[in-house]
Amino acid sequence: MSHKKQTLGEFIIENQTAFKYSSGELSSLLNSIRLAAKIVNHEVNKAGLVDIIGAAGDVNIQGEDQQKLDVYANDKFIQTLTKRNIVCGIASEEEDDFISINSQDENHQNKYIVLIDPLDGSSNIDVNVSVGTIFSIYRRVTPVGTPVTKEDFLQQGKKQVAAGYVVYGTSTMLVYTTGAGVNGFTLNPAIGSFYLSHPDMQFPEDGHIYSVNEGNYIQFPQGIKNYIKYCQKDEGDRPYTARYIGSLVSDFHRNMIKGGIYMYPQSSKNPEGKLRLLYECNPMAFLAEQANGKASDGFTRILDIQPKELHERVPFICGSKNMVEKAEEFMRLAQE
Ligand code: AHG
Ligand code: MN
Ligand code: MN
């Protein structure tokens, strides 16, 4: 069967019945994310025009305040999910606390909560380099019809029912999983539809790319330093190539297609690492595992970590299976 003309909307409906908790609710939720992604994409594409149409803090021609793009993306995703009334709670990297949506109303039977990093790699916006959005979906653990609590958000990553990202790159793509593999859809901007362009995405088991902010090298743990030297060694299929965009979504996306490893380790400055467990690491780890890759904090599987707080950070090593295992081996050896 040719997948060439299948749109994301069709794909979501066709695969709804294959989903074990199928009720249509998750499909509506994915459709809302699809819609918000298109709106944000439209705005991201205009980012280079800020000098002409106004920057954050300015007032635009309609008399509206211009927003920073990460605030804009945050508002759009939250608005879209709230208005359509299909989730009972949202937590965002941009918000201090989680948002409860009519969940105290017993008529609201919504089961799902969403966690988002609305604009990932935001420092790349000003220089016309790819950014992304990351999302993560769970079923609430507290009873429907009662207010959501922190407990609903602090679930282990392995409890995710869906996760994905949008990459606003040379093409805009939406890549997601509901636990049955990873599929990628490319936006045709002329028509405004996402088409299945990358069915069943898989990390190659081995890769030749390592992605890390080497400016922090001196502060890295010894295991990571040793692994980086291993990557650079002239031996066998090495040295590997270094590629670091500084936008997790884009670095992950490239590594999944070409084979590679992404690392944001702990450092003396950031002893917990930098990336957020709930908004960045868990969704990417779920995608990685669904695409035959691996994600670890150096010792532990990311998806097994029990979160303690919403904005918790964690060291993150993710990508081609054999590369991640090698990095873990170096971490272990340096501990001994
Ligand atoms: P965000 O823009 O959501 O704050 O995330 C940026 C993250 C991640 O996308 C990227 O890989 C990393 O921070 C880059 O950090 P450094 O600039 O420290 O390398
Ligand atoms: Mn981010
Ligand atoms: Mn962000």
Side-chain angles (χ1 to χ4, degrees):
M1 194 188 83
S2 162
H3 292 286
K4 277 207 181 83
K5 292 215 172 84
Q6 194 172 29
T7 65
L8 175 55
E10 289 161 1
F11 185 90
I12 290 171
I13 291 166
E14 260 173 49
N15 288 278
Q16 183 174 308
T17 44
F19 185 65
K20 63 178 171 181
Y21 307 114
S22 175
S23 67
E25 205 178 318
L26 182 66
S27 300
S28 320
L29 176 44
L30 291 168
N31 275 318
S32 301
I33 289 174
R34 176 183 65 147
L35 177 68
K38 284 191 220 178
I39 297 169
V40 171
N41 175 63
H42 187 72
E43 204 63 23
V44 167
N45 282 173
K46 291 192 301 188
L49 293 168
V50 284
D51 289 343
I52 301 162
I53 57 180
D58 290 354
V59 176
N60 72 12
I61 205 153
Q62 285 94 25
E64 300 158 335
D65 287 332
Q66 294 284 346
Q67 288 174 318
K68 283 178 98 166
L69 218 42
D70 37 15
V71 178
Y72 179 89
N74 185 50
D75 290 352
K76 282 302 160 203
F77 275 95
I78 290 174
Q79 270 168 24
T80 313
L81 294 168
T82 312
K83 271 198 197 133
R84 297 182 143 202
N85 206 357
I86 44 170
V87 291
C88 52
I90 303 173
S92 163
E93 194 193 73
E94 298 289 332
E95 305 280 338
D96 291 339
D97 208 351
F98 64 85
I99 303 167
S100 169
I101 299 160
N102 291 331
S103 57
Q104 69 287 2
D105 181 341
E106 57 192 39
N107 296 321
H108 286 275
Q109 295 297 309
N110 300 336
K111 294 187 289 293
Y112 293 104
I113 59 139
V114 178
L115 296 108
I116 49 167
D117 176 358
L119 205 71
D120 173 67
S122 38
S123 65
N124 281 325
I125 270 285
D126 294 341
V127 289
N128 204 0
V129 172
S130 298
V131 290
T133 297
I134 308 173
F135 62 91
S136 166
I137 301 173
Y138 296 80
R139 286 162 73 87
R140 63 182 301 177
V141 289
T142 54
V144 283
T146 65
V148 283
T149 69
K150 222 178 204 173
E151 202 191 330
D152 294 310
F153 295 91
L154 299 183
Q155 299 188 52
Q156 285 167 301
K158 64 182 170 199
K159 303 273 173 62
Q160 285 171 103
V161 295
Y165 59 80
V166 184
V167 54
Y168 311 98
T170 43
S171 300
T172 293
M173 282 189 71
L174 195 152
V175 175
Y176 80 102
T177 181
T178 54
V182 177
N183 291 285
F185 300 81
T186 302
L187 182 67
N188 179 341
I191 299 168
S193 293
F194 284 101
Y195 289 92
L196 179 60
S197 51
H198 296 63
D200 195 20
M201 297 179 84
Q202 301 264 334
F203 270 94
E205 286 206 349
D206 291 290
H208 294 101
I209 297 173
Y210 73 103
S211 312
V212 63
N213 185 342
E214 245 174 294
N216 299 326
Y217 182 86
I218 288 174
Q219 302 185 28
F220 285 156
Q222 194 56 43
I224 294 293
K225 286 183 177 168
N226 295 346
Y227 178 67
I228 291 174
K229 286 299 153 215
Y230 167 87
C231 293
Q232 297 170 341
K233 200 161 182 196
D234 187 4
E235 195 176 281
D237 61 349
R238 289 166 283 140
Y240 297 152
T241 298
R243 287 285 182 275
Y244 188 72
I245 296 169
S247 156
L248 169 64
V249 166
S250 315
D251 281 309
F252 178 98
H253 186 73
R254 180 205 50 242
N255 289 352
M256 177 160 62
I257 292 171
K258 295 199 163 177
I261 185 169
Y262 174 96
M263 296 178 280
Y264 211 109
Q266 58 275 61
S267 64
S268 30
K269 203 169 85 208
N270 297 313
E272 313 298 327
K274 175 188 181 190
L275 300 182
R276 317 273 184 154
L277 175 58
L278 298 185
Y279 313 107
E280 294 169 317
C281 305
N282 271 337
M284 295 319 241
F286 187 26
L287 287 159
E289 289 195 5
Q290 284 296 318
N292 198 34
K294 211 171 161 162
S296 160
D297 69 356
F299 302 98
T300 309
R301 179 189 180 214
I302 291 291
L303 297 181
D304 282 338
I305 298 173
Q306 176 59 54
K308 294 189 187 63
E309 44 180 312
L310 279 178
H311 295 284
E312 177 169 342
R313 297 171 198 269
V314 73
F316 191 55
I317 303 175
C318 176
S320 291
K321 203 184 260 170
N322 294 340
M323 298 181 89
V324 174
E325 281 172 6
K326 197 68 175 173
E328 284 180 318
E329 190 185 314
F330 275 97
M331 287 300 281
R332 245 188 344 260
L333 285 171
Q335 285 293 94
E336 285 165 5

